[in-house]
Amino acid sequence: MQEFIIIGINDGRCPFFSPDILRIIRQHRVFSGGKRHHEIVLPFLPEPYRWIDIAVPLDRTFEAYQEISGTIVVFASGDPLFYGFANTVLNRCPDATVKVYPAFNSLQQLAHRLNMPYQNLHAVSLTGRDWPAFDEALIRGETLIGVLTDRVHTPAVIAQRMLDYGYSNYEMHIGELLGNEKNERIRSLPIADAARLEDVLFPNCLLLQQTSKRRQWFGIPDSEFHLLNGRSKMITKMPIRMADLSMLDLANKTSLWDIGFCTGSVSIEAKLHFPHLKITSFEIRPEGKDLMALNACKFGAPGITTVIGDFMEESLDRFPAPDAVFIGGHGGQLVSMIALIKRYLKPEGEILFNSVSDESLKMFDEGTSKAGMKIEEVCRIAVDMYNPILIYKAK
């Protein structure tokens, strides 16, 4: 059976290895790691030895591993089980024996340099990844966020995104070339200053330390939204909106389509309360693009995908399939719209519709019946002097 011994190291040119690890190195002849790791551990390697580079594409690396019947000693950065190479080995070689000797990961090293307790650290990786996990941490108001960066998601880019959505209530601590005795650098600065940085050394990582609480909403007043041409009737009223979110059971959903979003109130409220959701919002009116941007930034709701155009003509397979759909506008095409949604709706998915007239209610009944869906729940709400709203949920 193949065996991997994975040893964590930092970027220091004079690594310290315990007697156990030194004994492991002396007893083996096949080693692997990145080119930087090879340079660091070269003085410790016995002769003769074989070195297998870890390089993209990883398929070549694992093909070389398959040629080895015994033990491979792998050197990896920090803690190999913390967004590290050990995870890749476990996924690609499920039958292999794996033993890990971790070092401190980069976020731990940065906390140590700052004498910062980090038991409440919430870590996210932007290394080769997009924004969802980072956005979720901001929306949830995590007090200490550790961020692994890459050459695209730089400290300046991250800081600018935080500013765009109103999350200036953090101090950014940047650790550059941690463990490098000559060039290591640590800086702490406000988010606004971090957004202007141009001289950050790579690799780097961040600790975002909350300095004050940002206001959190539970039912945003309608008057707080930027409205379509100032028209107060063109928004799903707050009590209705909150009932809609409750009936869709969004805590247990993964993907929401908001069709006819107008001001974006339903999408934004959903994102703030259920930041794990992938939200795709559709609106036929071009003004919707700026409205969504203004309101999402005002209330701190990053990560909503905005689609402008006729929903009925969109290539919908390019978006995450929904298990929850809110229909806020249908342009008289409700029956055919439901048929189209049904093609993409996940099993056990749900459609919610706010009916304001007998005509729209008949269309919803007809559309769901033709789609083989069942009306599961009905709620009647009247707000102030407005006409009563019937909320229908079909599954």
Side-chain angles (χ1 to χ4, degrees):
M1 179 180 289
Q2 197 170 43
E3 179 186 35
F4 289 89
I5 299 176
I6 307 178
I7 300 171
I9 61 175
N10 60 32
D11 281 337
R13 291 294 166 178
C14 300
F16 169 79
F17 291 128
S18 69
D20 286 344
I21 292 178
L22 288 174
R23 184 165 54 252
I24 288 170
I25 295 172
R26 286 196 300 268
Q27 290 175 348
H28 294 89
R29 292 296 181 270
V30 182
F31 302 92
S32 184
K35 292 186 182 299
R36 187 177 79 256
H37 301 136
H38 194 182
E39 294 172 1
I40 292 172
V41 303
L42 183 59
F44 298 90
L45 300 181
E47 291 289 351
Y49 71 88
R50 179 183 175 184
W51 183 271
I52 300 173
D53 274 327
I54 297 175
V56 177
L58 289 177
D59 289 345
R60 294 180 181 176
T61 301
F62 280 87
E63 287 172 4
Y65 289 167
Q66 290 175 2
E67 299 173 2
I68 309 300
S69 58
T71 299
I72 303 171
V73 177
V74 180
F75 296 96
S77 297
D79 182 347
L81 286 168
F82 183 78
Y83 295 106
F85 192 67
N87 300 307
T88 306
V89 172
L90 290 168
N91 289 330
R92 291 206 178 208
C93 306
D95 296 327
T97 299
V98 178
K99 187 164 186 179
V100 175
Y101 292 84
F104 288 119
N105 64 57
S106 59
L107 296 177
Q108 289 174 309
Q109 291 182 63
L110 180 53
H112 295 161
R113 303 293 195 276
L114 296 165
N115 285 330
M116 179 186 293
Y118 61 93
Q119 63 269 12
N120 61 337
L121 175 69
H122 181 93
V124 298
S125 176
L126 290 174
T127 305
R129 295 170 169 86
D130 213 342
W131 295 106
F134 179 75
D135 292 343
E136 184 174 348
L138 287 180
I139 294 171
R140 291 193 185 281
E142 299 290 349
T143 58
L144 183 63
I145 305 172
V147 186
L148 301 178
T149 66
D150 61 16
R151 294 186 184 275
V152 175
H153 302 91
T154 65
V157 169
I158 292 168
Q160 187 59 57
R161 185 175 182 85
M162 296 175 70
L163 288 178
D164 289 344
Y165 288 96
Y167 290 95
S168 59
N169 59 321
Y170 285 84
E171 183 177 18
M172 179 178 285
H173 306 281
I174 309 172
E176 306 163 54
L177 298 180
L178 291 174
N180 186 305
E181 293 87 351
K182 292 183 178 180
N183 299 315
E184 177 179 290
R185 181 167 63 180
I186 296 167
R187 288 184 278 180
S188 300
L189 57 169
I191 299 301
D193 292 346
R196 296 191 292 267
L197 287 176
E198 297 180 353
D199 63 339
V200 181
L201 303 172
F202 189 84
N204 57 70
C205 65
L206 312 177
L207 287 174
L208 299 172
Q209 187 176 27
Q210 192 177 89
T211 55
S212 63
K213 286 287 185 183
R214 191 182 190 279
R215 180 173 184 178
Q216 293 184 314
W217 300 86
F218 188 81
I220 303 170
D222 301 336
S223 59
E224 293 289 332
F225 284 94
H226 296 280
L227 301 173
L228 179 65
N229 300 323
R231 296 159 66 186
S232 61
K233 291 185 178 181
M234 298 297 288
I235 186 173
T236 302
K237 299 295 181 290
M238 186 268 285
I240 308 294
R241 190 188 321 137
M242 301 306 286
D244 290 335
L245 300 184
S246 175
M247 289 176 66
L248 277 172
D249 189 28
L250 295 179
N252 297 302
K253 300 294 195 300
T254 59
S255 175
L256 168 68
W257 284 6
D258 178 7
I259 303 171
F261 67 74
C262 193
T263 63
S265 63
V266 171
S267 292
I268 290 167
E269 198 91 62
K271 192 66 177 178
L272 293 179
H273 297 301
F274 309 100
H276 70 282
L277 277 178
K278 296 177 182 177
I279 301 179
T280 310
S281 304
F282 303 87
E283 175 56 54
I284 197 168
R285 286 170 288 223
E287 305 96 309
K289 182 177 181 180
D290 289 339
L291 265 182
M292 177 66 87
L294 283 169
N295 285 319
C297 288
K298 179 177 181 179
F299 299 111
I304 298 171
T305 299
T306 302
V307 183
I308 301 299
D310 190 339
F311 176 82
M312 302 301 295
E313 297 178 3
E314 284 292 337
S315 301
L316 298 174
D317 52 2
R318 62 194 176 104
F319 305 114
D323 46 12
V325 177
F326 175 76
I327 301 177
H330 54 84
Q333 302 183 78
L334 188 54
V335 175
S336 55
M337 180 179 285
I338 292 172
L340 179 59
I341 293 169
K342 181 67 183 332
R343 289 168 50 189
Y344 297 91
L345 194 64
K346 290 181 181 179
E348 303 300 313
E350 298 173 339
I351 299 176
L352 198 77
F353 176 65
N354 294 338
S355 176
V356 296
S357 67
D358 290 340
E359 182 184 1
S360 64
L361 182 55
K362 288 178 182 177
M363 286 192 291
F364 188 72
D365 280 337
E366 180 184 350
T368 53
S369 178
K370 287 184 175 180
M373 301 184 71
K374 179 184 177 183
I375 303 294
E376 282 225 325
E377 194 173 348
V378 180
C379 179
R380 183 181 186 275
I381 299 181
V383 180
D384 298 330
M385 300 304 293
Y386 294 102
N387 291 332
I389 301 288
L390 285 172
I391 306 175
Y392 271 68
K393 181 172 78 171
K395 189 168 185 175

